[in-house]
Amino acid sequence: MNADALILAADSALRTLWAEPRASRPTPSATATSPLSKPERREAGALMRVNHVGEVCAQALYTGQMLASQDPALRAQLAEASREETDHLAWTLQRLRELDDRPSLLNPLWYAGAFAIGFAAGKLGGDRLSLGFVVETEHQVEAHLNSHMERLPAGDAASRAIVAQMKDDEVQHARMAERAGALPLPAPVQGLMKLAAKVMTAVAHRV
Ligand SMILES: [Fe+2]
Ligand SMILES: [Fe+2]
């Protein structure tokens, strides 16, 4: 990585972890929200914290992959997708605050890990495998967000509206990567990614 890339990486990390994210689209809104009980609020907060961690990782992955690629067209596509991930970051953070909850204390660690994985995927595998990594990640995130639609309290329409829009966006990110020529990832890599996501979601639910 050259000096410019290092500065870009540091800038992205600082902005993701400590700056106030600014969404380019309004927060998806819900028509009818019913009041939540204390346990419901706590569970919704835990789930939205997991989703916020996912978006911290999305920023890190996309930045790592962008810096690893030499192809300006691919870099532009990744930048476009990461702008939508910034919306997700802002929406989930806002919802966490509304639920009187907080982001994961381990976010710097999640960021560092995801950045290393994204950079390595691009450098070791090349652009088409890096795109395959986007497809697999977004598919796993889609499945995960589907499970949250079942686990979120029925009355929490505000969180549900955000998760539903995020899911639509993640599906589009996977399509973008497929159209750009993504290669399928080997099964053991897919398995490892699922395992890493499981650990992350279990920890972020609490910490
Ligand atoms: Fe996202
Ligand atoms: Fe995405």
Side-chain angles (χ1 to χ4, degrees):
M1 233 193 293
N2 59 27
D4 281 356
L6 266 178
I7 291 169
L8 257 169
D11 177 65
S12 155
L14 293 176
R15 261 187 300 117
T16 304
L17 295 170
W18 288 290
E20 192 62 33
R22 251 192 305 178
S24 58
R25 292 172 291 170
T27 310
S29 61
T31 39
T33 29
S34 40
L36 301 176
S37 67
K38 220 173 168 190
E40 282 177 334
R41 181 176 280 269
R42 203 175 312 129
E43 177 62 4
L47 295 175
M48 292 312 274
R49 176 167 47 253
V50 170
N51 291 333
H52 181 260
V53 167
E55 298 304 331
V56 167
C57 291
Q59 293 292 328
L61 281 171
Y62 277 122
T63 305
Q65 288 178 282
M66 252 187 289
L67 291 177
S69 173
Q70 304 293 333
D71 177 2
L74 175 60
R75 289 169 71 116
Q77 273 176 320
L78 292 169
E80 176 62 33
S82 88
R83 257 191 294 282
E84 292 196 348
E85 307 293 5
T86 304
D87 290 351
H88 301 172
L89 192 70
W91 298 341
T92 47
L93 182 62
Q94 181 195 337
R95 188 61 194 143
L96 264 177
R97 286 176 181 153
E98 289 166 1
L99 291 162
D100 294 322
D101 219 315
R102 52 153 184 82
S104 170
L105 301 172
L106 302 176
N107 274 341
L109 199 72
W110 304 129
Y111 188 98
F115 179 86
I117 291 172
F119 190 75
K123 276 291 176 211
L124 301 176
D127 284 348
R128 292 189 66 198
L129 216 76
S130 188
L131 282 164
F133 189 78
V134 171
V135 173
E136 180 59 24
T137 305
E138 299 287 10
H139 281 163
Q140 288 189 19
V141 173
E142 184 196 350
H144 159 87
L145 292 175
N146 269 329
S147 81
H148 275 203
M149 290 305 263
E150 277 159 32
R151 290 174 66 192
L152 277 166
D156 190 358
S159 297
R160 289 171 169 278
I162 292 171
V163 169
Q165 181 60 54
M166 280 170 37
K167 207 182 70 169
D168 287 353
D169 292 344
E170 314 302 11
V171 169
Q172 291 309 318
H173 299 159
R175 292 223 178 103
M176 171 279 284
E178 273 161 354
R179 279 196 303 266
L183 288 175
L185 293 188
V189 177
Q190 292 187 17
L192 264 178
M193 286 169 69
K194 282 193 181 126
L195 188 71
K198 232 183 216 158
V199 172
M200 187 265 270
T201 48
V203 176
H205 198 265
R206 292 179 189 83
V207 192

